[in-house]
Structure formats: structure tokens, C-alpha cells
């Protein structure tokens, strides 16, 4: 695994009309904290309730209501910080970020500004080609989500739904270390994997539980950073890539025409594949940040942080390293298997479930090539697989014992996938056993030799013709002849 730390020499350049450009990207990811209750109230965070059903007096900002911090949300933020190998700040402060919006009844958002709960950390990002690089994390802070304005229910009225109001978000800010749309997508993918392993955010982008503000600028290779634009609330990995590409092209065109980029907040329109201006960029001082007088500074006990650290699950990078070391997997295969915690667990159940230790590489190949391929075709994921790790383990055992060939194993897998059943019983019942009875194989070989004197003459002159005989004999045996025995018998009879 090669790990490179930014900044590096530019590699992924975009060629414009007047020469090459490099795109620079930094991300602010908003991840909804997995918790039952909101950040400062006991109201439910459940998705999809009737409008204004999960709203306490605090979330509706009734006068005189006081926020009370939810310890579990803080624990989730700290776990995430630990998972990002980040600095945990034992003292942090909640500030009011003041702005007006109809779905923000307080008139401010409680957020963290100068003293966030988590400081500098890192994410190791894996690219599809197997290469890895490190992205710096600047900070992670806790903040409240806003409510939702609804404009499309009535031609004359707008509505406000406060169910989301006050739900805890983690804003995870990266350094501007990303250099292409592909890197930006891979970064969010990896970050989401880490959050899911930790159980601190479900990463469901369709529900808006994970969304990214994508900051994009362009520069000549090696030049200082250019002025950036921030594309707000991009809610799918694919759109993140498209937004980066569209925005980089737009900026390059302006610069090549002799114009300048003005710093602004933009929106990505997926149907048009372009970004459009939303508002000019506000500065931090526009929000009149000040410490929330209703909340004391958040002080964490070092022992409490240590305890959370001691209970972290094994994270994807560690798991990948272990899969490579313990099972002899390639970094690529290990990366595929650890991308979801459920797939990694499934693989381990195949490789050594029920106390049977199997060949790791064979298990990985079967899971990745046969099972994932088949599940994909069906549009299902591992959690709804009709085939259990135990059944795959049994198929692998049948191959390893020489009871079935790997070709027959594919047929067997298909039967088990569609009809279920114990693989050993299926093999017996359907006569799928590999023929290792040498007499039976000899009989087949003798017949083929007798029927094809011309081919026999050819193979004696050109031994690579042997493949033709193997193919014929396999066919005649219904694919069940033991390949090694067949080869040996053919060679002996043909005298090659
Ligand atoms: P703000 O507080 O105004 O949102 P920050 O300095 O916190 O600005 O940066 C926000 C995000 O913008 C970070 O993810 C950072 O990496 C990214 N960023 C900063 N400068 C640039 C740049 N020149 N090009 C692209 N992204 C940038
Ligand atoms: Mg910001």
C-alpha cells in the first residue's frame, strides 16, 4: 500500500484552452449523529414521522426554554474523532450562529466555532486502482440541524416542519487535500464507511443523513490556491463527482476568458449538470458568533474518553491490514471485503466460521466473484443474501476435498442460491460428484481416441492439441471428470 501525504505534485490535470489546470477540493460533510434523541432535547430523531410530531418546546424555541446537552451525542462525536485518529479537545464551547430563516425558530443555530470538540485528524482514502492517500481533517464540531420549509403543498402557503430541528449533526471539515472528482468521491465513500463501522451515523444519503458541502477552486499546477466556491448540500456520491467536474470547468472557462472567480455559495443542479449561484459567500463575522450563555463549556473527563477509545470496534483500515496478514488476501480484495462491516463479517464466517479454518484466498474469491456478482445481478445486498456463509463454506469444502470441480461448484452455487438446500445433500441427490473412478475416465478417453484417429495423429505432432481432448472428455463426462486424473490418463494413452 502506497500512502502519500498532501501536498504532492499535481497528477490529475485538466487541460484548458490555454494550458493545464489543477482542481483543489475541500469538503464539509454534515453527518447526522445516530442517537435516539436530539442534541439539546429529548424529542425523537426518528425519520418520517408526521410533520411537527417530534418537536419539544426547546426545538420550537419557546421563550424561556433551556437546552440540555445529550451525553450520547457527545459520545458519538468523540468516538468519531477517535476513529479519525483526531485530537479530542477536553474543553469545547457551544456558540450561537445567528441568522434568520423560517425553519430556524431560535433565530440562531447552536454550533461550535472557535473551540470544536474534535481537532486535527486524518482519513486514509482508497482509490479504485488500489492506491491510497491521506486527507487531513481540520476539525469536527457538533451542531443543531434546522427544520424544513415546504413550499410545494399549496400554491399560496408555505409550511414549516420542525421534526429535524435540533437533531445533532457532526460537521467534519477536511483540509483542501483532494485533487479530482474521483478523489472527492473516494473520500466521502471512505468517511461514510468509517462512520458506519463506528455506528455514529448511518450514512444514508437518500434520507439526507449524510450530505456534503463541496469547496472547489482551480489553479495552475504549483501556483497558490485559487478563490473557491462552495457547492451546498450535495446528497449523493455520484453528484459530488459531477458537481466537482462542472464547477471546475466553469471556473476554468471564466479564468481563461480573463475573468476572476468571486467567492460564493452555489447549488448543483443534477438534471442540468451545472452549478448555479445561490448567494455571495458570507463571512464568519456576518453570523455574530458568540458563546451560548445558556450552555456551560463542555468539559470531558480524560478517563471517559479513554473508556470510549477502549470500546471502539475494529476499523476498516485495521481490518484490511489483518485480512492481508491473516488470510493472505491482496490489498484489493481485502479492500473490497472491508468496505462494509457486514461483508467483512460474512467473509470471516466463510473463512473460519464454526471453527473450520478454510483457505482465505479461495473464500475471498468465491465471496467476491460468485456471491457479490450474483447478489448484484439480483439488486440485493449481503444482508439479504439467500445463501449463508455456512453454505458457501460447505461448497468450498467439497471443492477442497475433490468431491466437485470448481466448474461444478458454480452450478451447485446457483442451485443453492435459487432453491436453497445443504450443498452436500444437493451434490448427492443430483449426482454432481466428480468422477475420480479411473476406470470410468479411461472408458471415456478410449472412446474419444477410437473415434478420432486424425486428431490423435495431430496431437502427437503438436502436444498443445491436448486441450481439445480434455474438452471432449469433460463434455462426455458431464463436466464431472477429475481434471488431474483426466489429464494424466490422456497423456499416458496418447503417449505424449
Ligand atoms: P468557511 O469557514 O468559510 O467555510 P473554511 O476555511 O472553514 O471556510 O474552509 C471550508 C472548506 O473549504 C474546508 O473544507 C477547506 O478545506 C476548503 N477550502 C479552503 N480553501 C480552499 C480552496 N482554495 N479551494 C478549495 N477548497 C478550499
Ligand atoms: Mg464552513
Amino acid at each position: 500500500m502506497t500512502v502519500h501525504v498532501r501536498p504532492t505534485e499535481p497528477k490529475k490535470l485538466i487541460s484548458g484552452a490555454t494550458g493545464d489546470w489543477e482542481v483543489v477540493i475541500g469538503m464539509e460533510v454534515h453527518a447526522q449523529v445516530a442517537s435516539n434523541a436530539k442534541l439539546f432535547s429529548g424529542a425523537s430523531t426518528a425519520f418520517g414521522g408526521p410533520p411537527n410530531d417530534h418537536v419539544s418546546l426547546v426545538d420550537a424555541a419557546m421563550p424561556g426554554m433551556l437546552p440540555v446537552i445529550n451525553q450520547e451525542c457527545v459520545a458519538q462525536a468523540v468516538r468519531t474523532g477517535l476513529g479519525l485518529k483526531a485530537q479530542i479537545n477536553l474543553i469545547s464551547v457551544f456558540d450561537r450562529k445567528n441568522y434568520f430563516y423560517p425553519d430556524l425558530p431560535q433565530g440562531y443555530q447552536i454550533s461550535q466555532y472557535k473551540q470544536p470538540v474534535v481537532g486535527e485528524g486524518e482519513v486514509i482514502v482508497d482509490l479504485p486502482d488500489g492506491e491510497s492517500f491521506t486527507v487531513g481533517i481540520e476539525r469536527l464540531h457538533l451542531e443543531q440541524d434546522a427544520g424544513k420549509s415546504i413550499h410545494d403543498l399549496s400554491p399560496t402557503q408555505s409550511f414549516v416542519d420542525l421534526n429535524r430541528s435540533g437533531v445533532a449533526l457532526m460537521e467534519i471539515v477536511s483540509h483542501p487535500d483532494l485533487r479530482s472528482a474521483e478523489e472527492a468521491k473516494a473520500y466521502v465513500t471512505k468517511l461514510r464507511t468509517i462512520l458506519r463501522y463506528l455506528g455514529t451515523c448511518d450514512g444514508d444519503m437518500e434520507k439526507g443523513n449524510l450530505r456534503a458541502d463541496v469547496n472547489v477552486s482551480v489553479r495552475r499546477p504549483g501556483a497558490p490556491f485559487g478563490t473557491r466556491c462552495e457547492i451546498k448540500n450535495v446528497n449523493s456520491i455520484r453528484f459530488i463527482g459531477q458537481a466537482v467536474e462542472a464547477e471546475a470547468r466553469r471556473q476554468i472557462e471564466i479564468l481563461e476568458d480573463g475573468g476572476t472567480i468571486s467567492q460564493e455559495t452555489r447549488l448543483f443542479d443534477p438534471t442540468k449538470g451545472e452549478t448555479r449561484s445561490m448567494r455571495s459567500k458570507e463571512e464568519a463575522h456576518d453570523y455574530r458568533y458568540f458563546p451560548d450563555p445558556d450552555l456551560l463549556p463542555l468539559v470531558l473527563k480524560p478517563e471517559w474518553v479513554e473508556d470510549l477509545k477502549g470500546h471502539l470496534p475494529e476499523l476498516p483500515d485495521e481490518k484490511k491490514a489483518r485480512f492481508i496478514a491473516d488470510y493472505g488476501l491482496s490489498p484489493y480484495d481485502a479492500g473490497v471485503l472491508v468496505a462494509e462491516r457486514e461483508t467483512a463479517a460474512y467473509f470471516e464466517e466463510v473463512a473460519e466460521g464454526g471453527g473450520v479454518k478454510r483457505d482465505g484466498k479461495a473464500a475471498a474469491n468465491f465471496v467476491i466473484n460468485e456471491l457479490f456478482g450474483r447478489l448484484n445481478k439480483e439488486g440485493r445486498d449481503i444482508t439479504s443474501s439467500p445463501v449463508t456463509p455456512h453454505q458457501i463454506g460447505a461448497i468450498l469444502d467439497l471443492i477442497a476435498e475433490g468431491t466437485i470441480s470448481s466448474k461444478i461448484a458454480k452450478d451447485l452455487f446457483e442451485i443453492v442460491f435459487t432453491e436453497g438446500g445443504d450443498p452436500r445433500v444437493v451434490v448427492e441427490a443430483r449426482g454432481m460428484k466428480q468422477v475420480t473412478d479411473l476406470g470410468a475416465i479411461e472408458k471415456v478417453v478410449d472412446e474419444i481416441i477410437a473415434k478420432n484417429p486424425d486428431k490423435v495423429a495431430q496431437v502427437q505432432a503438436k502436444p498443445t492439441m491436448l486441450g481439445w481432448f480434455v474438452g471432449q472428455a469433460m463434455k462426455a463426462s458431464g463436466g464431472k471428470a477429475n481434471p488431474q486424473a483426466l489429464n494424466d490418463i490422456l497423456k499416458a494413452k496418447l503417449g505424449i
Side-chain angles (χ1 to χ4, degrees), residues 444-459:
V444 171
V445 168
D446 286 341
E447 275 170 26
I448 292 170
I449 289 177
K451 274 193 214 147
N452 299 282
D454 50 334
K455 298 275 190 205
V456 174
Q458 283 173 28
V459 77

Side-chain angles (χ1 to χ4, degrees), residues 23-29 97 113 136 138-139 141 171-179 187 213-219 224-230 232 251 263 281-284 287 289:
V23 55
V24 173
I25 306 144
M27 301 256 216
E28 297 159 279
V29 168
K97 182 180 183 180
Y113 177 48
E138 195 183 302
R139 59 189 275 148
H141 66 253
E171 178 169 333
I172 304 166
V173 183
S174 85
H175 283 289
D177 286 351
L178 300 156
R179 296 290 178 270
Y187 165 72
D213 298 343
V214 188
N215 294 270
V216 178
S217 66
V218 297
R219 64 173 175 181
F225 286 157
T227 303
R228 73 180 191 270
C229 288
E230 176 177 359
K232 272 279 173 207
Q251 292 183 12
Q263 189 172 332
K281 172 77 182 166
E282 60 295 311
E283 301 287 336
Y287 288 117
Y289 276 103

Side-chain angles (χ1 to χ4, degrees), residues 455-465 496:
K455 298 275 190 205
V456 174
Q458 283 173 28
V459 77
Q460 272 149 3
K462 194 175 161 217
T464 52
M465 272 287 297
I496 55 173

